[in-house]
Amino acid sequence: MEKKANILGTGGHARVVASLLLDQNAYQKIQIFELADFTKGERILGLQVIPFSKIYNNLDVLHAEDFFLAIGCNKMRKQYWEILKGNDLQTPNLISSSSFVEDSVELGEGNIICPQSYIGPCARIGDNNLLNTFSLIEHESIVGSHCHMAPKSILAGRSTLGDSCFIGLGAKIIDKLTIANGTTIGAGACLLESITEEDKTYAGIPAKDLNSVK
């Protein structure tokens, strides 16, 4: 049987996911699905782009195919994750061959682990996370689900990241902190204290709640 991979999303992350899948050479057919306005004839890395509407009403019969979410926005990625899981579709982890994931790491499913990323011993990672290029998750840290760690972001040892968090480019979270659901950490920030209130945005060095800065 022909093994098929379906990529949802045509933005920048579609290039990354497509590149990872092509590098692994594990699928006979790879398709990319446009979630917004469809442009006829579009191709990404030589792969055909198809409107998602073409399969949306028939997802329940695609159980033999694998699905990968190439969506940077946590809210939107979670939305489509729930559509896929509501139809009991396969969402395997996609791990770059140049990343390093310790054997003792507990991984959920649907995670995209980009090139040169590192996940240290005894870390626990939930579902549907985007761990971008050179992101670093140290020993015994916990990452929830539907998070996005941008390139070169760092979660130090024994820290816990809640669900739907966004950690910006080059941002750093020191060890033994707890970060509430929905937190956004701005690019280049350095977080030195736990965050207990959900859906807050922190930025700066040291990182501060932007709503409290006057």
Side-chain angles (χ1 to χ4, degrees):
M1 182 188 300
E2 185 179 52
K3 192 173 183 182
K4 295 181 181 179
N6 300 307
I7 301 170
L8 270 58
T10 57
H13 291 295
R15 278 79 179 161
V16 176
V17 172
S19 177
L20 292 175
L21 289 171
L22 289 167
D23 180 64
Q24 291 186 359
N25 199 31
Y27 294 91
Q28 286 73 50
K29 186 174 184 179
I30 302 172
Q31 300 180 124
I32 302 176
F33 289 90
E34 174 61 74
L35 304 176
D37 297 328
F38 175 65
T39 301
K40 187 175 181 180
E42 182 182 6
R43 301 184 79 86
I44 295 174
L45 295 182
L47 302 173
Q48 184 179 9
V49 175
I50 303 167
F52 185 56
S53 57
K54 184 175 180 179
I55 62 168
Y56 180 75
N57 293 321
N58 298 299
L59 289 172
D60 57 344
V61 301
L62 301 178
H63 295 143
E65 302 181 17
D66 289 345
F67 285 79
F68 301 91
L69 293 173
I71 303 170
C73 171
N74 288 340
K75 184 177 180 180
M76 186 176 177
R77 196 168 65 257
K78 181 181 178 183
Q79 173 189 344
Y80 280 94
W81 171 262
E82 291 173 346
I83 290 172
L84 296 178
K85 301 320 291 183
N87 286 278
D88 295 321
L89 297 175
Q90 297 184 94
T91 53
N93 293 310
L94 179 57
I95 304 173
S96 169
S97 60
S98 67
S99 66
F100 189 88
V101 181
E102 288 278 358
D103 291 340
S104 56
V105 170
E106 295 181 23
L107 274 178
E109 60 178 302
N111 297 295
I112 308 296
I113 302 176
C114 294
Q116 303 298 324
S117 296
Y118 172 83
I119 306 179
C122 303
R124 287 186 285 158
I125 312 296
D127 302 322
N128 189 35
N129 295 293
L130 174 54
L131 307 179
N132 224 315
T133 310
F134 281 103
S135 59
L136 191 155
I137 297 169
E138 262 296 358
H139 62 89
E140 301 162 275
S141 286
I142 299 171
V143 175
S145 296
H146 320 299
C147 293
H148 181 174
M149 289 190 63
K152 294 190 175 182
S153 59
I154 296 174
L155 182 66
R158 297 182 179 176
S159 284
T160 298
L161 198 62
D163 295 335
S164 300
C165 293
F166 176 77
I167 312 303
L169 178 75
K172 301 174 179 63
I173 298 170
I174 70 165
D175 59 305
K176 301 176 184 177
L177 299 187
T178 299
I179 314 303
N181 297 337
T183 296
T184 295
I185 307 293
C190 183
L191 187 69
L192 305 180
E193 58 184 7
S194 291
I195 298 174
T196 57
E197 292 186 67
E198 296 186 357
D199 303 315
K200 295 288 187 178
T201 298
Y202 278 63
I205 302 174
K208 299 292 184 183
D209 179 1
L210 290 186
N211 292 328
S212 66
V213 176
K214 296 183 179 179

